[in-house]
Amino acid sequence: MTSPTHAGYFDANSGGPLSEAARDALLKGIEHGWANPGRLHQPGRIANELLQAARSSIANSLGFEANEICFVQSVPLAFRLGLGGLVNASSHKVVASKVEQSFILEGLGTLDAERVSLIDVDEVGRIDVVAFAKALACDGVTNGDAATNDGAATDDGAATSGLAIVQIANHEVGTKQPWEFLTDDSLAGAVWFADATLGPLSWVQSLKLPKRVDVAVLSPASWSGPLGIAILAIRNGVKFKAQVGLGADPRDAREIQVAVGEPNVGLALASAAALEDCGRRLDQSRDQLTRQSELLRDLLTKEIPDLVLLGDTAETGSTPGLVAFSLLYVHGEALIDELSKRDISITSGSSCVANAVGPSHVLVAMGALTQGNIRVSFNAATSDEDLKLFVQDLSNVLSELRNRAGVTSL
Amino acid sequence: MNAAAEEVGDAHIVDARGSSCPRPIIEIARVASKMNSGARLALISDDPATAIDLPAWCKMKGHKFLGRTNESFYLVELN
């Protein structure tokens, strides 16, 4: 069997080759942490020690307490557990944007329509914060539970107490959300459930998540950690009541962990090691990927006709290493197939690729061109040369496809 | 269809029903390339992506998107 190539791999955000530190940690987990960490026998205790070390390391990196970190088996599961626990814990209003991950939007679809507000985004996918704050402040659902909210709401009753679901940055186009609005005093009582799956480069200056985040979902793959593991971080004191399994009614991260089972020790160790590694290189990676994203956008704009860049393209508003665009007159799937023949791996939100019903809800909410959609995500292992070759190949493939369809001069 | 046809007026009709993304936009772009500035085109399309892609195409090409007159009727004025 041949190994996949890295040079043309542009789907880094959904998983990629492990960093060396992560690979070593994974092996350590396999060699020493093979027993069930939930058992009290000696091998179990050793596995548990390794697991707790991984948990402490991740908590420390992200600015959480160790007992606030819960490992689950996948990102969708983390979202479902997180959302379920928060909406079960109170009857307050839930406000989210229209560009959240589909797992979130599907979950919200099962709640009373009156309880949920979905907020519009502008053409780069940025949330309308005024509308968001207003919807959050109008907490229409008030039963007895509201008065006993043990969150940070003030006694005067003016502060909001709803649930704010705000992604740190958009997973499809990389636009950073202006989440700072949640630090406004008037919104102090709201619980913030953050989608942080785009990785540390999508948030500020260090690995630590903003203090304001109450519950977050993170994906180790986003920092060159492994797939098959995700993190649900729940700050102590946040009202949480998940319904997991038969009879289980966990109320915090530790109990959730018991309910969903302990993770694979190797995957947890690899996630922690990759995150530490990512932290050491954070400034360097950010500088490199910011410069390379700019280079890629420049090349695309110059070399490819009938192309539109998507999302916020300004340095301050975009996630380094994620560039999204759409191309007129081409079929997304045909594009992916042709590029794949040239060992280039990309992903698309075009309807023919995303699903049979319609184009990506993110592109629809932005009013962005959905045909010939491409999402390029890369990490520090990608060279300038890789990006140049990608644009050259894309240009050739496009000319071929557009010539064949007779749309070159339209 | 009568009410929509009246609203469409003197617009040239491009019927792309039954074809899916990116065909409807290719169809209207083909007709548009043979017409003069100021001409009005009506695109009939039942592909859900058209509602997003037609205004986006107009913006990229400098045409004026006049709106959607019913579920599958879209009006465009060429630049």
Side-chain angles (χ1 to χ4, degrees):
Chain A
M1 187 190 275
T2 53
S3 296
T5 52
H6 182 268
Y9 186 74
F10 296 107
D11 191 17
N13 190 54
S14 62
L18 288 183
S19 68
E20 213 178 303
R23 204 181 300 226
D24 292 344
L26 182 60
L27 279 177
K28 186 179 167 190
I30 291 169
E31 282 170 19
H32 305 287
W34 41 263
N36 182 342
R39 298 288 190 234
L40 295 177
H41 46 57
Q42 198 227 11
R45 283 177 202 265
I46 293 173
N48 191 46
E49 264 174 42
L50 291 171
L51 186 57
Q52 296 316 324
R55 181 174 273 116
S56 296
S57 162
I58 286 175
N60 188 43
S61 294
L62 297 174
F64 278 75
E65 299 294 326
N67 70 356
E68 296 173 329
I69 299 293
C70 172
F71 294 110
V72 295
Q73 285 73 15
S74 74
V75 167
L77 181 60
F79 275 118
R80 291 189 178 111
L81 286 167
L83 183 64
L86 290 167
V87 298
N88 284 340
S90 86
S91 51
H92 292 303
K93 183 144 196 174
V94 184
V95 186
S97 80
K98 290 183 177 171
V99 296
E100 299 301 323
Q101 304 243 19
S102 49
F103 321 115
I104 291 282
L105 297 177
E106 282 163 18
L108 294 179
T110 65
L111 300 178
D112 268 354
E114 280 178 17
R115 194 178 163 188
V116 180
S117 292
L118 291 181
I119 305 303
D120 287 322
V121 296
D122 65 13
E123 59 180 19
V124 301
R126 194 183 297 109
I127 296 169
D128 178 345
V129 293
V130 175
F132 198 106
K134 203 170 157 192
L136 201 53
C138 296
D139 188 354
V141 186
T142 48
N143 59 16
D145 201 33
T148 58
N149 178 27
D150 59 5
T154 54
D155 291 329
D156 63 14
T160 183
S161 44
L163 171 61
I165 302 177
V166 178
Q167 58 191 203
I168 302 277
N170 185 264
H171 52 288
E172 286 195 25
V173 296
T175 298
K176 286 182 187 169
Q177 297 299 354
W179 51 260
E180 294 83 356
F181 79 97
L182 281 171
T183 59
D184 189 280
D185 284 348
S186 64
L187 302 175
V191 171
W192 178 12
F193 181 27
D195 168 2
T197 55
L198 210 44
L201 288 181
S202 65
W203 62 82
V204 284
Q205 301 299 318
S206 80
L207 290 184
K208 291 191 173 23
L209 276 173
K211 278 257 180 286
R212 179 67 182 83
V213 170
D214 295 299
V215 177
V217 173
L218 298 111
S219 166
S222 69
W223 56 73
S224 296
L227 287 169
I229 187 164
I231 291 163
L232 176 61
I234 308 168
R235 293 219 197 260
N236 293 326
V238 171
K239 266 188 118 184
F240 200 88
K241 186 180 174 188
Q243 304 284 334
V244 191
L246 293 171
D249 184 11
R251 286 169 191 280
D252 62 28
R254 190 57 225 146
E255 288 178 51
I256 291 258
Q257 190 72 82
V258 173
V260 298
E262 301 289 357
N264 177 297
V265 174
L267 294 180
L269 283 173
S271 301
L275 187 57
E276 285 178 14
D277 202 33
C278 169
R280 281 190 290 272
R281 300 161 194 248
L282 196 61
D283 290 339
Q284 193 189 340
S285 302
R286 184 173 40 235
D287 292 349
Q288 180 189 329
L289 295 181
T290 300
R291 183 185 57 73
Q292 286 181 322
S293 299
E294 194 59 28
L295 169 73
L296 179 56
R297 288 195 187 97
D298 272 359
L299 287 170
L300 289 167
T301 314
K302 280 185 197 133
E303 308 288 331
I304 313 280
D306 289 328
L307 171 146
V308 61
L309 292 170
L310 305 177
D312 194 341
T313 55
E315 190 182 320
T316 48
S318 57
T319 302
L322 204 164
V323 174
F325 53 94
S326 290
L327 298 150
L328 276 177
Y329 317 133
V330 281
H331 201 272
E333 193 175 352
L335 206 50
I336 289 183
D337 284 350
E338 288 300 320
L339 286 169
S340 180
K341 287 179 197 161
R342 295 166 187 245
D343 287 333
I344 290 179
S345 321
I346 42 128
T347 177
S348 168
S350 292
S351 52
C352 50
V353 183
N355 62 52
V357 185
S360 131
H361 68 277
V362 173
L363 301 181
V364 169
M366 291 165 55
L369 186 72
T370 71
Q371 58 188 243
N373 176 255
I374 291 188
R375 205 152 62 219
V376 173
S377 74
F378 52 97
N379 59 28
T382 298
S383 68
D384 289 8
E385 197 54 32
D386 294 335
L387 295 173
K388 286 175 191 162
L389 285 173
F390 163 69
V391 175
Q392 208 176 326
D393 277 329
L394 176 66
S395 174
N396 293 338
V397 162
L398 263 180
S399 302
E400 227 172 273
L401 288 173
R402 282 175 170 162
N403 272 332
R404 212 183 296 160
V407 296
T408 320
S409 55
L410 294 182
Chain B
M1 199 64 84
N2 276 348
E6 276 169 33
E7 281 182 67
V8 167
D10 60 348
H12 189 100
I13 292 177
V14 181
D15 190 347
R17 275 174 295 184
S19 64
S20 62
C21 167
R23 301 297 316 173
I25 305 301
I26 292 178
E27 300 288 321
I28 193 171
R30 283 219 169 99
V31 175
S33 69
K34 296 179 195 122
M35 299 193 72
N36 296 327
S37 171
R40 280 157 37 109
L41 295 181
L43 175 66
I44 314 177
S45 166
D46 47 18
D47 176 33
T50 299
I52 308 297
D53 285 353
L54 188 63
W57 172 76
C58 287
K59 202 173 162 195
M60 286 173 81
K61 296 293 180 184
H63 305 312
K64 197 168 170 189
F65 180 67
L66 299 176
R68 185 177 186 175
T69 59
N70 74 22
E71 191 53 38
S72 52
F73 256 80
Y74 302 85
L75 270 178
V76 168
E77 188 180 297
L78 301 181
N79 85 356

